[in-house]
Amino acid sequence: MEFLNILTQNNVAAFLLLLLRFSGLFAFFPFFDNQFISANIKAGLVFFCTILFFPLVPQMKYDLTLVEFMIAGGMEILLGFCVGMILQFVFSAIAFGGDLMSFSMGLTMASAYDPISGNQKPIIAQVIMLLALVVALSLDFHHGIFILISQSFDTLPLGTFALKNEFVTYCISAFGSMLVVGFAMAFPVMGILLLSDIIFGMIMKTNPQFNLLAIGFPIKIAIGFLILMMIVGSVIYHFQQEMIRAFGFVKVLFLSQ
């Protein structure tokens, strides 16, 4: 009988809007959009999180028509898309840097299936992406999103999200930063390998019998791996800084509406 008393139109509307908020987050959030996580598991997690967080939702009057409810639900999914895009910019910078490193080392053809994106990617980019994902999980970035959701019910009530100009401005800035950060991460490897290409070219000019494919190519790959091992700490440090910056804007998106 108590369950039927809870099952009012107002509570059902709040529950569905909260369900859509979590659905948008799990659909576009890094790590949760992994291809290895099946849709059934994602749906179960969304439903479980909705039940877990529903008691935190403040009592409000959701007097919405069907069209207004559909618009409010669409904005909740858009919220998850915006949060996922903000964080994906950081991971895209890592992927872009890894692609540049692979291209410089001549390993663009050495691609394998990436279980995270479901596409073929160079091995170097995959290794750096997996390392960045482990670092992100060690920073509890997934827990941080849940904390922000629990704090956002008062500042960003269900169905009230509106896209602001600040988000567009941040996306433009983050896209430029993604290219700059990715290139900066790959620049040491690219610079040293460019210097090695010049040296190999000079050797071939003075010694035409020098077999570049048999000797120079393995040396080039070895140099690339050596430089990568030396700079991987710096790459992860820049990734952490960009992740903190992205979470700062996500916090603004959730708590400053």
Side-chain angles (χ1 to χ4, degrees), residues 122-133:
I123 295 177
I124 300 298
Q126 286 194 42
V127 172
I128 297 177
M129 279 287 292
L130 290 174
L131 181 60
L133 186 60

Side-chain angles (χ1 to χ4, degrees), residues 3 17 48 55 59 72 126 134 137 148-149 181 215 226:
F3 176 75
L17 289 174
F48 173 77
Q59 293 294 328
Q126 286 194 42
V134 171
L137 291 175
L148 288 178
I149 291 177
V181 171
I215 301 175
L226 179 62

Side-chain angles (χ1 to χ4, degrees), residues 206-248:
T206 57
N207 186 11
Q209 290 78 24
F210 179 77
N211 193 334
L212 181 62
L213 292 178
I215 301 175
F217 192 66
I219 295 176
K220 187 177 179 180
I221 294 176
I223 293 174
F225 275 113
L226 179 62
I227 301 301
L228 181 59
M229 287 187 292
M230 293 174 61
I231 67 170
V232 67
S234 177
V235 170
I236 296 303
Y237 172 78
H238 285 291
F239 170 77
Q240 289 179 343
Q241 297 302 313
E242 291 297 318
M243 182 63 69
I244 293 172
R245 175 171 171 261
F247 256 96

Side-chain angles (χ1 to χ4, degrees), residues 57-77:
V57 178
Q59 293 294 328
M60 293 179 58
K61 184 67 175 178
Y62 297 97
D63 190 11
L64 303 173
T65 64
L66 180 60
V67 176
E68 292 174 342
F69 181 81
M70 292 176 63
I71 295 175
M75 297 308 293
E76 290 297 329
I77 296 177

Side-chain angles (χ1 to χ4, degrees), residues 22-30 32-34 42 46 77 80 88:
F22 276 108
S23 299
L25 286 173
F26 276 84
F28 304 107
F29 194 74
F32 290 119
D33 64 346
N34 195 316
K42 292 179 184 179
V46 168
I77 296 177
Q88 286 289 359

